[in-house]
Amino acid sequence: MARPFVPTRMEEPITANHREARPSGAVDTRVEGVVANWFPRFLANGLDYLDVTRILDAIENWDQWGTTWEAAGENYEKLGRDALAAGHSETAGSHLRRAALTYQFAQFVMTGDTEARRRIHLRMADTYRTAAPLLQPPATPVRVPWRGIDLVGYLRTLSDDSPLVVLIPGLESTKEQFSTFEPFLLERGLSTLSFEGPGQGETWYEHGFRDEAYVDAMRALFAWIVDRPDLSGRRVALLGTSFGGYLALKSAPGLPVEAVVDIAGFFDLKDFDNLQPVIRDNFAHFMKIEPAEIEDVVSQVDLLGTLPLDVPVLAVHGEVDPIVPVEHAHRIAAAQMNATVWLYPDGTHSCNNLHTIVRPAISDWLADRLAVGA
Amino acid sequence: MARPFVPTRMEEPITANHREARPSGAVDTRVEGVVANWFPRFLANGLDYLDVTRILDAIENWDQWGTTWEAAGENYEKLGRDALAAGHSETAGSHLRRAALTYQFAQFVMTGDTEARRRIHLRMADTYRTAAPLLQPPATPVRVPWRGIDLVGYLRTLSDDSPLVVLIPGLESTKEQFSTFEPFLLERGLSTLSFEGPGQGETWYEHGFRDEAYVDAMRALFAWIVDRPDLSGRRVALLGTSFGGYLALKSAPGLPVEAVVDIAGFFDLKDFDNLQPVIRDNFAHFMKIEPAEIEDVVSQVDLLGTLPLDVPVLAVHGEVDPIVPVEHAHRIAAAQMNATVWLYPDGTHSCNNLHTIVRPAISDWLADRLAVGA
């Protein structure tokens, strides 16, 4: 009766740990700089610490950044597609979303290789598109006509009258990355629309960032919202992270919004030349522009004359933010006057290192402003 | 019109980072050993990497273990109680649950100070009790009479006919810790009952572990389930982690269960003397016993004669498990014969370092066995 058992030996999930093999002292400064800036961002945005550690341990120099992250994403994509084939839709949605977010960081700040970046970014967008209908509630792609192109986003709605929060990404961020912020809002009765304007995500291929273009694109988005019978009656707020915090404040005048949240945004870019080189690179990519033209575009980025808004504003900033100094929050607060300002003494950029505390608090503030259930 | 803005300066969330100040070379072996064994467990069970890092950085020796973790838990407890007072029930539930899990690891393997352990453990249980009704779906405390005491657990139910998974913890684990596994089951249509038998959690105060006592307590639990009109018609499975994997297999004969999952369980304790000292300490605590009596109690722990079960069995084990060697899974597989066995080459104890992959897969396997939606 007895027979030998045949256990299923699961494959190695990702590249083996190479930390031991890394030559001592052979530190790649680009890798170290990117990790120093954004390590908490990887974790706050849906990746698992143990995965991130395995990935970073396998990267010895910047040339391996994209391929190593992509291999880790591929593992989850395969698990997700297998789960889909097996009818395990919950697992499929979860793994495909995780695959997409892993690809997100594969192409992240890859400003030196446009072709590789495009390929991985489109793979990310495609993988997330497969996950989107499997999420709870589903994420529905939206396309907003503007100047002959389509602006893109994902809409996740609750009941017909639930308020709507429009999420605006910053540099090197995407509508897909917001899939880790959306649940905090959804759990509190708020529907979400994660948006990509000029310079961002899939919209970037069609149009680089310009200040007036972004503001105009936001007007087009709101005209589209008002035209949608299922959206037009809702109360709406804006939430922007990092440069998206600036964009939310800059775009708000004239839009039918009832509250604005700025997380770690700039007041202006007058100090552009003193930003980290990697951040200046990211801006050049964002703008799709030659270095000589940057100065003019940068000079348009300014909240002077925009603030104060006549709606409630929440500004959240980490006091040890190495990317956007906290003084920008001080200036926003001074110009807005009645703003609610939360400064976290040990918060880094976007307070991603305190995400367990900051995201629920922001979501509650929005739910209170938009009177969920009232 | 302008007035000075008064931002809210948020308090430091936890003890400052003391890594810089730690004297080089002053490594506490107990701390290092516990972290080496269980670091992935902290993360897989609901804690945030950045919090865990801040906590561990502040611990210089084992005496500081409990107080440092407790301080971090207190921060979340305060945030949770403030949120409750403000009517932010989602945030309150989330922070209070996180506080409880942080206290869980404050009292974790604290076998040397019974009084401190009791105080922190009861604080953990009390904090979770406050969170329980705020979770979605709520966790309802249950009490099962047995030998003059009450066995305790938390029940989370979906629709009236959804199958039920009974979760059995191992050493140093609790019903509250399962609140990070329950969502995977709930999302897939399975109700959950997280249980504490003799030797575990709140039941420990009344009764230490004995093999026959645990099996008998499980019979009492199932008699109670069959008597509950809202539970009696459901299909039921057992899932145990670590020593709980052994307990699930050992208890199954005679119970009305349709599937059993063993995650990283023992086959027997014949190799007890070669286990890590900290694990042997944990067993002594679990049994509430003098060292001289351990041998007899340990000898009862054996699956010989119990296997094969006549229901589907899934055994999951990491091949580099430093606590329960993978050979135990080989022996379980050989004795069960038709078991489904998943061995992860780079999985550590309970495959907690691969939790993003293992937990969805196990939950899908259970949903398929219990024919959710069929």
Side-chain angles (χ1 to χ4, degrees):
Chain A
M1 176 179 172
R3 61 165 181 77
F5 74 95
V6 184
T8 304
R9 196 153 184 278
M10 304 319 226
E11 286 170 50
E12 298 273 345
I14 64 157
T15 320
N17 184 324
H18 291 316
R19 188 185 281 288
E20 304 296 338
R22 189 188 291 183
S24 176
V27 174
D28 182 297
T29 54
R30 173 90 174 185
V31 172
E32 300 293 323
V34 168
V35 172
N37 272 344
W38 289 295
F39 184 74
R41 177 169 174 173
F42 307 149
L43 305 181
N45 289 296
L47 299 190
D48 176 61
Y49 163 77
L50 298 155
D51 283 337
V52 172
T53 301
R54 285 180 284 246
I55 292 165
L56 295 180
D57 282 353
I59 294 174
E60 289 175 28
N61 59 64
W62 181 253
D63 289 345
Q64 300 168 325
W65 182 270
T67 50
T68 309
W69 281 88
E70 191 178 12
E74 262 169 11
N75 178 59
Y76 280 112
E77 184 179 341
K78 180 179 182 311
L79 289 169
R81 294 194 185 276
D82 289 350
L84 201 56
H88 296 147
S89 61
E90 182 73 32
T91 298
S94 154
H95 285 330
L96 290 170
R97 191 181 80 85
R98 192 180 294 277
L101 292 174
T102 311
Y103 296 145
Q104 160 74 15
F105 293 110
Q107 57 89 50
F108 184 72
V109 304
M110 191 191 266
T111 47
D113 185 344
T114 310
E115 252 330 290
R117 181 173 199 164
R118 170 192 290 261
R119 185 183 60 72
I120 301 175
H121 173 256
L122 292 178
R123 183 175 193 179
M124 181 277 279
D126 180 58
T127 305
Y128 188 84
R129 215 171 348 258
T130 310
L134 306 171
L135 304 179
Q136 293 299 335
T140 308
V142 300
R143 306 191 78 84
V144 176
W146 173 75
R147 295 188 183 177
I149 66 170
D150 279 351
L151 307 167
V152 294
Y154 277 106
L155 179 66
R156 302 178 74 177
T157 52
L158 302 170
S159 65
D160 282 354
D161 59 350
S162 65
L164 178 68
V165 178
V166 174
L167 294 101
I168 304 175
L171 300 185
E172 300 293 328
S173 190
T174 59
K175 60 190 181 306
E176 291 86 0
Q177 193 183 295
F178 275 132
S179 62
T180 52
F181 206 129
E182 292 158 3
F184 291 95
L185 299 164
L186 293 163
E187 286 164 359
R188 287 160 180 79
L190 299 163
S191 294
T192 62
L193 196 167
S194 294
F195 179 68
E196 286 174 342
Q200 297 171 326
E202 292 187 281
T203 302
W204 179 88
Y205 297 103
E206 307 295 335
H207 204 298
F209 172 77
R210 295 294 182 280
D211 206 70
E212 64 75 27
Y214 208 100
V215 170
D216 194 54
M218 287 293 288
R219 287 206 193 99
L221 173 66
F222 273 77
W224 177 90
I225 288 173
V226 169
D227 266 1
R228 287 257 309 212
D230 61 332
L231 298 179
S232 62
R234 297 173 194 251
R235 306 179 70 172
V236 185
L238 298 180
L239 179 154
T241 57
S242 190
F243 195 71
Y246 161 79
L247 293 169
L249 294 166
K250 184 70 177 249
S251 305
L255 299 182
V257 298
E258 302 196 27
V260 179
V261 177
D262 151 50
I263 305 172
F266 287 98
F267 185 88
D268 62 30
L269 288 179
K270 292 209 189 329
D271 214 26
F272 185 79
D273 291 344
N274 292 322
L275 295 178
Q276 297 179 30
V278 65
I279 305 296
R280 295 203 306 272
D281 277 358
N282 293 347
F283 268 110
H285 174 82
F286 185 51
M287 296 165 178
K288 300 176 81 168
I289 204 168
E290 292 308 310
E293 305 169 87
I294 286 182
E295 193 176 324
D296 182 52
V297 178
V298 156
S299 71
Q300 308 296 318
V301 174
D302 201 328
L303 290 174
L304 197 69
T306 299
L307 304 184
L309 304 178
D310 59 2
V311 296
V313 169
L314 169 63
V316 178
H317 218 107
E319 292 195 329
V320 292
D321 186 333
I323 296 174
V324 183
V326 69
E327 287 68 31
H328 289 272
H330 294 174
R331 294 171 66 197
I332 288 167
Q336 178 62 27
M337 292 183 291
N338 62 353
T340 299
V341 184
W342 297 342
L343 303 182
Y344 288 86
D346 52 358
T348 59
H349 187 51
S350 300
C351 295
N352 277 330
N353 63 329
L354 303 173
H355 65 104
T356 58
I357 293 170
V358 173
R359 291 182 177 190
I362 290 169
S363 303
D364 286 339
W365 186 87
L366 276 169
D368 288 347
R369 295 293 87 63
L370 297 173
V372 173
Chain B
M1 176 179 171
R3 62 167 180 75
F5 74 96
V6 184
T8 305
R9 196 153 183 277
M10 305 318 228
E11 286 170 50
E12 298 273 344
I14 64 157
T15 321
N17 185 324
H18 291 317
R19 187 186 280 287
E20 304 296 338
R22 189 188 291 184
S24 177
V27 174
D28 182 298
T29 55
R30 172 91 174 184
V31 172
E32 300 293 322
V34 168
V35 171
N37 271 344
W38 289 295
F39 184 74
R41 177 169 174 173
F42 307 148
L43 305 181
N45 289 295
L47 299 190
D48 176 60
Y49 162 77
L50 298 155
D51 282 338
V52 172
T53 301
R54 285 180 285 245
I55 292 166
L56 295 179
D57 282 353
I59 294 174
E60 289 175 27
N61 58 64
W62 182 253
D63 289 346
Q64 299 168 326
W65 182 270
T67 50
T68 309
W69 281 87
E70 190 178 12
E74 262 168 11
N75 179 59
Y76 280 112
E77 184 180 341
K78 181 180 181 310
L79 289 169
R81 294 194 186 277
D82 289 350
L84 201 56
H88 296 146
S89 62
E90 183 72 31
T91 298
S94 154
H95 285 330
L96 290 170
R97 191 181 80 85
R98 192 181 293 278
L101 292 174
T102 310
Y103 295 145
Q104 160 73 14
F105 292 110
Q107 57 89 51
F108 184 73
V109 303
M110 191 191 266
T111 47
D113 185 345
T114 310
E115 251 331 290
R117 181 174 199 163
R118 171 192 291 262
R119 185 183 59 73
I120 301 175
H121 173 256
L122 292 178
R123 183 175 192 178
M124 181 277 279
D126 180 59
T127 304
Y128 188 84
R129 214 170 349 257
T130 310
L134 306 171
L135 304 179
Q136 293 299 335
T140 308
V142 300
R143 307 191 77 84
V144 177
W146 174 75
R147 295 188 182 176
I149 66 170
D150 279 350
L151 307 166
V152 294
Y154 277 107
L155 179 66
R156 302 178 74 177
T157 52
L158 302 170
S159 65
D160 282 355
D161 59 349
S162 65
L164 178 68
V165 178
V166 174
L167 294 101
I168 304 175
L171 300 185
E172 300 293 328
S173 190
T174 59
K175 60 189 181 307
E176 291 86 0
Q177 193 184 295
F178 275 133
S179 62
T180 53
F181 206 129
E182 293 158 2
F184 291 95
L185 300 164
L186 293 163
E187 286 164 0
R188 287 160 181 80
L190 300 163
S191 294
T192 62
L193 197 167
S194 294
F195 179 68
E196 285 174 343
Q200 297 170 325
E202 292 187 280
T203 302
W204 179 88
Y205 297 104
E206 307 295 335
H207 204 298
F209 171 77
R210 295 294 182 279
D211 206 69
E212 64 76 27
Y214 207 100
V215 170
D216 194 54
M218 287 293 289
R219 287 206 193 99
L221 173 66
F222 274 78
W224 177 89
I225 287 173
V226 169
D227 266 1
R228 287 257 309 212
D230 60 332
L231 298 179
S232 63
R234 297 173 194 251
R235 307 180 70 173
V236 186
L238 298 180
L239 179 154
T241 57
S242 190
F243 195 71
Y246 161 80
L247 293 169
L249 294 166
K250 184 70 176 250
S251 305
L255 299 183
V257 298
E258 302 196 27
V260 179
V261 177
D262 152 50
I263 305 172
F266 288 97
F267 184 89
D268 61 31
L269 288 179
K270 292 207 189 331
D271 215 26
F272 185 79
D273 292 343
N274 293 322
L275 295 178
Q276 297 179 30
V278 65
I279 305 296
R280 295 203 306 272
D281 278 359
N282 293 347
F283 268 109
H285 173 82
F286 185 51
M287 297 166 177
K288 300 177 81 168
I289 204 168
E290 292 308 309
E293 306 169 87
I294 285 182
E295 193 176 324
D296 182 51
V297 178
V298 157
S299 71
Q300 308 296 318
V301 174
D302 201 328
L303 290 174
L304 197 69
T306 299
L307 303 184
L309 305 178
D310 59 2
V311 296
V313 169
L314 169 63
V316 178
H317 218 108
E319 292 195 329
V320 292
D321 186 333
I323 296 174
V324 183
V326 69
E327 287 68 30
H328 289 272
H330 295 174
R331 294 171 66 197
I332 288 167
Q336 178 62 27
M337 291 183 292
N338 62 353
T340 299
V341 184
W342 296 343
L343 303 182
Y344 289 86
D346 52 357
T348 59
H349 187 50
S350 300
C351 295
N352 277 331
N353 63 329
L354 303 172
H355 66 103
T356 58
I357 292 170
V358 173
R359 291 182 177 190
I362 290 169
S363 304
D364 286 338
W365 186 87
L366 276 169
D368 288 347
R369 295 293 87 63
L370 298 173
V372 173

